Amino acid sequence: MLGNQGKIGFLIALTVSLLALHFCSQRNLNLLNSPGSITTNSDYGGGNSKAIALPFQEGAGFLCQIADQNPRSFCEYTFQLGKDATHGLNFSQFGSLDLNISMTRDGWPLQDYPVRVYLHQYDPNLPKHWHHKIHQINFDTYEHTNGLSLPTEYIQVADWWREASQADMLRSMVDLTNIVSLSILTPEGAPQGLYQIKINQLSTQGKLIPDFTLYGLLSFIWLWFLLHQLIRYLKRIHCQQKRLKRRVIQLSERSHSLQKQATVDPLTKVLNRGGGLELVHRLKVLHTPFCLLYIDLDHFKHLNDRYGHQVGDDVLTQFADIAQSIVRSQGTLIRWGGEEFLGLIRCDDIESAYFTARQIHKQMAAHSWPHQQQVTCSIGIALCSLETPFQQATEKADSALYKAKHNGRNRIEVSASDKKQCVEPVTRQAI
């Protein structure tokens, strides 16, 4: 299979070859070889003109005797160009009509009386009785003694035919596509006398491949090639876009997975310290006050050492599920490290945080833990207002947690600086 460069090279070579063939070759058609016949106005009951064909070794000709002064007297030599009366020759494919005609009257050249050349085009759509449109050329035999090569675009419809046929503008236009016959006639209004008309040359010349056909073919080939290339390009772009989309989705999933790994604790499925710090930063940017619940599972090391790390992991997971289900509506739970958790509650008073802490204690007391163990926790609460740095609020919550541990564990303590905001007792042991 040829690549793009090979295809372009082939098309260029084909184009150059066709253009060279077009401009360097000619198609010649000698119309003198077509069958001919002679008629006069006498044949139509209009006068006494007589005509006979002359036998010439080269060319064709006739003698015409015009015996009266009737301006419509004529003699006509007609060449049949088509296979029948309705199918003729397409003259539009030729570039020129070559004429070489000589004429004498009573043996002398005749001046100012051009020979008429009629081209009969058959068109069944023409008005009634006028199925042949007449194109006319006036050939001055006195001036063009050496002949004339007439470009076909100079051929015009006869004025008298336009008037007589009363055809509309469209049907009166030049149309050389179906010329069924060509006639050589004596001059219009020819005076009396014996006329000898010899047709030395009557031929057409044109390109071997007509202009319209050649340029249409080349245009089709190149447009087909460009369209084919465009379709291939669009398909390639579409495939690349699909691959890129899949890659973006994969990278997005990978990024989400890495982000989740970076911000979510793999064991408890809650935020880890890094994810928690990101959340705190967002809350601070949004100027959202919140409370901290610093939570530590009581005697967790003893439980872990006695029953093994698997049980310890189960306890941590179950506690995270309990606490997260409670704080989810107001905030989130963060595994701060080991058996320590941090609850972030969006609120501007200690009372809401204290109520949430109590709910955690109640749920833990009602829960069935592994090996029928009673698992409890100590909680320290501190308010992180808009003016309070997070580090300072964490230290206050940690101090409150230390106090809860020191006072016997399974307790809730509020930071000393925030106790005045709490209506209920600020120190409470779990039920």
Side-chain angles (χ1 to χ4, degrees):
M1 296 293 290
L2 291 175
N4 283 339
Q5 292 184 348
K7 292 177 181 177
I8 293 175
F10 172 77
L11 288 178
I12 291 176
L14 177 62
T15 302
V16 172
S17 300
L18 289 175
L19 289 174
L21 180 64
H22 176 68
F23 288 108
C24 298
S25 62
Q26 291 286 337
R27 180 171 63 153
N28 298 317
L29 182 61
N30 187 3
L31 303 181
L32 292 174
N33 295 328
S34 302
S37 61
I38 294 178
T39 56
T40 69
N41 58 308
S42 300
D43 298 321
Y44 301 97
N48 299 317
S49 301
K50 298 179 180 180
I52 60 170
L54 295 177
F56 291 105
Q57 290 185 350
E58 295 183 0
F62 60 94
L63 282 176
C64 175
Q65 179 67 52
I66 296 180
D68 51 32
Q69 292 294 338
N70 186 350
R72 296 188 178 181
S73 296
F74 69 89
C75 296
E76 178 181 17
Y77 194 106
T78 302
F79 295 92
Q80 300 298 328
L81 304 182
K83 60 181 181 179
D84 53 43
T86 59
H87 298 85
L89 188 64
N90 186 0
F91 258 69
S92 63
Q93 296 180 350
F94 298 94
S96 64
L97 176 62
D98 297 333
L99 299 169
N100 189 340
I101 304 173
S102 61
M103 180 181 67
T104 61
R105 173 176 172 266
D106 298 331
W108 295 92
L110 187 62
Q111 190 176 2
D112 298 329
Y113 283 90
V115 170
R116 293 173 289 176
V117 180
Y118 287 172
L119 289 85
H120 303 259
Q121 186 253 345
Y122 177 78
D123 184 353
N125 297 315
L126 289 172
K128 189 176 180 181
H129 306 307
W130 288 100
H131 287 329
H132 291 87
K133 183 190 299 183
I134 308 301
H135 301 76
Q136 181 172 343
I137 302 168
N138 292 324
F139 183 80
D140 193 336
T141 59
Y142 191 85
E143 180 181 354
H144 301 292
T145 56
N146 295 322
L148 173 67
S149 181
L150 180 68
T152 52
E153 58 263 27
Y154 290 168
I155 300 175
Q156 299 295 323
V157 176
D159 292 335
W160 62 264
W161 184 89
R162 295 178 191 269
E163 297 177 4
S165 67
Q166 297 183 350
D168 58 30
M169 182 178 295
L170 180 62
R171 297 301 175 187
S172 297
M173 296 176 64
V174 175
D175 186 356
L176 303 176
T177 57
N178 189 23
I179 304 300
V180 294
S181 61
L182 185 149
S183 301
I184 309 296
L185 292 86
T186 52
E188 184 176 2
Q192 292 179 336
L194 180 62
Y195 292 82
Q196 177 178 301
I197 296 178
K198 182 182 180 184
I199 309 166
N200 300 302
Q201 183 180 11
L202 183 61
S203 61
T204 58
Q205 292 189 27
K207 303 296 183 182
L208 189 61
I209 305 176
D211 291 351
F212 178 80
T213 302
L214 174 68
Y215 298 135
L217 176 62
L218 290 178
S219 299
F220 173 79
I221 292 174
W222 280 101
L223 285 175
W224 176 86
F225 173 75
L226 293 176
L227 181 62
H228 178 69
Q229 293 300 111
L230 177 61
I231 292 174
R232 289 188 58 190
Y233 173 76
L234 292 177
K235 286 183 177 180
R236 186 164 62 248
I237 292 297
H238 180 66
C239 291
Q240 290 176 353
Q241 288 178 340
K242 289 178 65 177
R243 289 196 296 268
L244 182 61
K245 185 177 181 180
R246 287 196 298 268
R247 184 59 178 164
V248 168
I249 293 174
Q250 291 173 355
L251 291 175
S252 177
E253 292 174 349
R254 178 62 178 168
S255 175
H256 180 72
S257 175
L258 291 175
Q259 183 180 14
K260 188 174 181 180
Q261 292 177 15
T263 59
V264 176
D265 177 56
L267 175 64
T268 61
K269 304 300 187 259
V270 299
L271 291 177
N272 59 20
R273 182 185 288 256
L277 291 175
E278 288 185 10
L279 176 60
V280 169
H281 176 72
R282 289 197 297 272
L283 294 175
K284 284 293 186 180
V285 169
L286 296 174
H287 302 287
T288 304
F290 56 90
C291 292
L292 295 178
L293 276 64
Y294 209 137
I295 307 170
D296 183 79
L297 297 182
D298 299 328
H299 305 296
F300 180 78
K301 186 177 185 303
H302 173 73
L303 180 70
N304 208 37
D305 292 342
R306 182 178 179 181
Y307 294 104
H309 293 290
Q310 183 59 52
V311 173
D313 289 348
D314 291 343
V315 169
L316 289 173
T317 301
Q318 293 175 30
F319 168 76
D321 291 341
I322 293 171
Q324 180 72 323
S325 67
I326 295 171
V327 305
R328 182 181 291 115
S329 61
Q330 305 174 70
T332 191
L333 186 69
I334 304 167
R335 186 179 182 186
W336 203 241
E339 68 273 19
E340 292 184 346
F341 293 84
L342 202 62
L344 263 67
I345 309 297
R346 285 187 291 272
C347 60
D348 53 6
D349 61 82
I350 290 295
E351 193 69 27
S352 298
Y354 190 81
F355 177 78
T356 302
R358 288 182 59 191
Q359 291 297 111
I360 293 175
H361 270 174
K362 288 181 180 180
Q363 291 293 331
M364 289 184 68
H367 186 70
S368 177
W369 297 97
H371 296 282
Q372 304 299 316
Q373 291 295 308
Q374 182 66 36
V375 180
T376 62
C377 69
S378 300
I379 303 176
I381 303 176
L383 176 65
C384 186
S385 64
L386 299 178
E387 298 80 15
T388 306
F390 175 70
Q391 183 63 33
Q392 181 180 342
T394 306
E395 291 173 356
K396 291 194 302 177
D398 187 40
S399 297
L401 174 64
Y402 178 78
K403 185 177 179 180
K405 290 282 189 181
H406 182 73
N407 291 337
R409 294 182 172 82
N410 194 22
R411 302 174 67 85
I412 302 171
E413 294 287 348
V414 178
S415 168
S417 60
D418 298 321
K419 279 184 180 181
K420 58 183 179 179
Q421 297 188 30
C422 190
V423 176
E424 294 194 26
V426 296
T427 303
R428 180 180 180 87
Q429 190 167 4
I431 299 176

